[in-house]
């Protein structure tokens, strides 16, 4: 369960498609060409038309090359896609250099590559694109051809106005980069959380389906085994006493009996009357959820007690994974010990997962369970590159709530210390789907402790 976060959660499919960049660039080139021709021929303003069309033509040839080099469904890795957007910033800078610098109203288009980069790339690459744009804007503030204007008039804007344009574009780029990056990061982590959930549940379902496959195999092997049994019995009848083969046939008969016993067990795996893999008590549920996390140097204590016999539920992969994530999160914070306490009554079943760590900080307490809230970067139970995204609590809370539980994260009251996550099910919801014939009845109080 813990290594599910390290899997490819569909991030490759969320990369920028080459076709998307090509279409956006064609749109920009058409707009640039129309603007240049309109200014020169429509308004009669003098501009270096040949140089402007050359800059546009180079981008057009780049688009043609990309169309021939890549398929429509190909996706670029981050560095390559970022290089494409960096080229667009430089190309726009050259056009603005030839047509008035930042005083050109179309200088606002500097924000377009920043927006695309902030939505699609990591913060580091977005920062690089933003710095490149700021350098280009700063250069254009001092170095540029005159703004195209009527030949009989001169338009000289004061430096303070030019500085104001630079500040507006720079601040706008930084704001868009930060805002779009945050929104995109939240969206990506939500997608990662749901993808991780689907992967884990699919894996658990494969495991729980093994009993059906075993039963099918037992059914198919039953006929040839019956034939072998019949042949062995006939051989035992026909062999004379003291035959050299008597011992071998007896051994063969013994092994046939053993095979029949094994196949009988396999065939009963999907039978409700003997579904020992399909049902689990509270203690077994907690032990199975905590088992994979006992090798991280933290002691795990499991305590179960309640009124009447232990509740039994159907094996639920989502419930197992949710509890496992909460145990793992407790181990990440614990100094030396994690305690899992289960208590049940005739109406409710409650599980409390406690650690002896520092507890939840006040600033994240109100946002716990959101996929973009992480509480610790130095994780004991995970070493993957993508750990610490805040996915654990989100996945656990979502899956457990789907099973009918409520999840409440708190800190332990003084004099205790550490965090405490309480999961509470209505008993009817917890036992939903269990095999018939096992009803709750009042019995003496039972207490079980496992360490």
């Amino acid at each position: 369960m813990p290594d599910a976060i390290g899997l490819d959660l569909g991030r490759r499919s969320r990369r920028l498609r080459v076709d998307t960049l090509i279409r956006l660039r064609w749109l920009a080139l058409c707009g640039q060409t129309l603007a240049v021709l309109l200014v020169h021929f429509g308004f009669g303003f003098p501009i270096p038309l040949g140089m402007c069309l050359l800059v546009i033509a180079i981008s057009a040839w780049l688009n043609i090359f990309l169309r021939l080099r890549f398929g429509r469904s190909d996706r670029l890795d981050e560095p390559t896609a970022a290089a494409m957007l960096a080229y667009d910033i430089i190309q726009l800078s050259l056009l603005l250099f030839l047509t008035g610098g930042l005083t050109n109203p179309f200088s606002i288009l500097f924000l377009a590559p920043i927006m695309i980069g902030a939505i699609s790339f990591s913060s580091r690459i977005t920062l690089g694109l933003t710095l490149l744009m700021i350098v280009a804007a700063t250069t254009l503030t001092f170095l540029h051809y005159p703004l195209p204007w009527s030949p009989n008039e001169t338009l000289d804007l004061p430096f303070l106005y030019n500085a104001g344009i630079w500040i507006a574009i720079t601040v706008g780029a930084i704001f868009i980069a930060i805002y779009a990056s945050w929104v995109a990061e939240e969206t990506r982590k939500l997608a990662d959380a749901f993808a991780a959930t689907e992967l884990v549940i699919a894996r658990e379902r494969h495991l729980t389906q093994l009993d059906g496959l075993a039963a099918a195999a037992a059914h198919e092997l039953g006929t040839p085994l019956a034939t072998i049994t019949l042949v062995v019995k006939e051989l035992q009848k026909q062999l004379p006493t003291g035959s050299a083969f008597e011992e071998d046939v007896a051994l063969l008969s013994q092994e046939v009996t053993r095979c029949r016993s094994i196949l009988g067990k396999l065939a009963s795996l999907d039978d409700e009357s003997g579904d020992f893999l399909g049902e689990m008590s509270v203690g077994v549920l907690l032990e199975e959820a905590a088992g994979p996390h006992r090798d991280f140097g933290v002691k795990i204590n499991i305590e179960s007690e309640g009124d009447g016999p232990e509740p039994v539920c159907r094996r639920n992969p989502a419930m197992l994974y949710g509890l496992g994530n909460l145990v793992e999160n407790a181990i990440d914070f614990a100094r030396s010990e994690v305690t899992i306490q289960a208590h049940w009554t005739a109406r409710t079943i409650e599980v409390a997962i406690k650690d002896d760590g520092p507890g939840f900080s006040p600033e994240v307490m109100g946002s716990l369970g959101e996929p973009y809230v992480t509480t610790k970067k130095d994780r004991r139970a995970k070493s993957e590159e993508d750990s610490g995204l805040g996915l654990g609590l989100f996945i656990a809370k979502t899956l457990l709530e789907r099973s009918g539980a409520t999840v409440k994260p708190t800190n332990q009251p003084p004099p205790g210390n550490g965090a405490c996550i309480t999961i509470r099910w209505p008993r009817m919801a917890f036992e939903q789907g269990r095999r018939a014939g096992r009803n709750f009845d009042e019995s003496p109080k039972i207490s079980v402790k496992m360490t």
Side-chain angles (χ1 to χ4, degrees), residues 394-405:
F394 169 76
I395 295 175
K397 188 172 182 290
T398 301
L399 294 180
L400 291 171
E401 286 178 350
R402 286 181 180 177
S403 71

Side-chain angles (χ1 to χ4, degrees), residues 19-33 56-57 59-65 67:
D19 186 66
T20 301
L21 292 176
I22 291 176
R23 288 174 180 270
L24 290 175
R25 185 174 288 127
W26 278 128
L27 181 62
L29 293 179
C30 289
Q32 292 170 0
T33 304
I56 295 173
S59 292
W61 280 111
L62 175 60
N63 254 12
I64 294 173
F65 168 77
R67 176 62 71 196

Side-chain angles (χ1 to χ4, degrees), residues 306-328:
D307 300 326
E310 265 192 283
V312 176
C313 67
R314 294 283 296 178
R315 173 179 289 272
N316 188 329
M319 192 185 299
L320 277 170
Y321 184 72
L323 288 172
N325 256 332
L326 295 182
V327 173
E328 181 185 55

Side-chain angles (χ1 to χ4, degrees), residues 77-363:
D77 55 19
E78 278 200 354
T80 305
M84 296 288 184
L85 293 182
Y87 169 81
D88 290 334
I89 294 175
I90 295 173
Q91 189 260 3
L92 179 60
S93 301
L94 290 176
L95 278 180
L96 293 175
F97 170 76
L98 297 171
T99 56
L102 291 189
T103 57
N104 188 323
F106 289 102
S107 60
I108 193 67
L109 293 177
F110 265 137
L111 301 180
I114 303 302
M115 172 67 79
I116 297 173
I119 293 175
S120 306
F121 305 139
S122 63
S123 301
R124 179 175 55 85
I125 293 181
T126 302
L127 176 62
L129 291 174
T130 305
L131 291 177
L132 175 62
M133 191 232 72
I134 293 175
V135 170
T138 304
T139 304
L140 291 174
T141 302
F142 301 98
L143 300 175
H144 57 82
Y145 278 58
L147 181 69
W149 203 251
S150 176
N152 301 323
E153 299 180 17
T154 301
L155 182 63
D156 292 324
L157 297 174
F159 177 77
L160 184 61
Y161 182 82
N162 292 335
I165 296 176
W166 179 88
I167 292 174
I169 292 179
T170 301
V171 172
I174 294 174
F175 174 79
I176 286 177
I178 295 175
Y179 180 80
S181 293
W182 283 353
V183 173
E185 188 66 16
E186 292 177 9
T187 303
R188 281 193 291 266
K189 288 179 178 179
L190 274 171
D192 286 346
F194 285 116
T197 301
E198 292 176 357
L199 286 173
V200 172
I201 292 178
R203 180 180 297 177
E204 293 291 339
R205 283 177 178 170
H206 290 161
L207 292 177
T208 56
Q209 288 170 356
L210 287 178
D211 56 354
L213 295 176
H219 176 73
E220 294 295 329
L221 292 173
T223 300
L225 185 61
T227 304
I228 296 173
T229 303
L230 180 61
V231 172
V232 170
K233 289 182 177 179
E234 291 298 324
L235 287 176
Q236 286 179 323
K237 292 179 180 179
Q238 296 178 9
L239 284 177
T241 304
S243 172
F245 300 102
E246 184 177 5
E247 185 177 346
D248 294 334
V249 174
L251 179 60
L252 182 59
S253 176
Q254 180 182 345
E255 294 301 314
V256 167
T257 303
R258 182 183 176 191
C259 288
R260 291 176 63 88
S261 175
I262 293 173
L263 291 183
K265 292 179 181 179
L266 292 177
S268 66
L269 288 181
D270 62 342
D271 184 7
E272 286 194 6
S273 62
D275 191 6
F276 62 92
L277 289 181
E279 293 188 350
M280 52 197 341
S281 64
V282 171
V284 173
L285 173 67
L286 298 182
E287 183 62 37
E288 190 163 337
H293 311 292
R294 289 189 178 275
D295 299 326
F296 296 113
V298 175
K299 183 180 179 181
I300 300 178
N301 299 320
I302 300 178
E303 302 174 1
S304 303
E305 66 175 10
D307 300 326
E310 265 192 283
V312 176
C313 67
R314 294 283 296 178
R315 173 179 289 272
N316 188 329
M319 192 185 299
L320 277 170
Y321 184 72
L323 288 172
N325 256 332
L326 295 182
V327 173
E328 181 185 55
N329 192 72
I331 291 174
D332 289 335
F333 285 92
R335 293 188 176 92
S336 61
E337 187 177 47
V338 170
T339 301
I340 307 174
Q341 296 175 337
H343 179 78
W344 60 87
T345 66
R347 295 181 176 273
T348 62
I349 297 170
E350 183 175 294
V351 174
I353 302 175
K354 304 177 182 180
D355 63 72
D356 58 353
F360 296 115
S361 58
E363 58 268 21

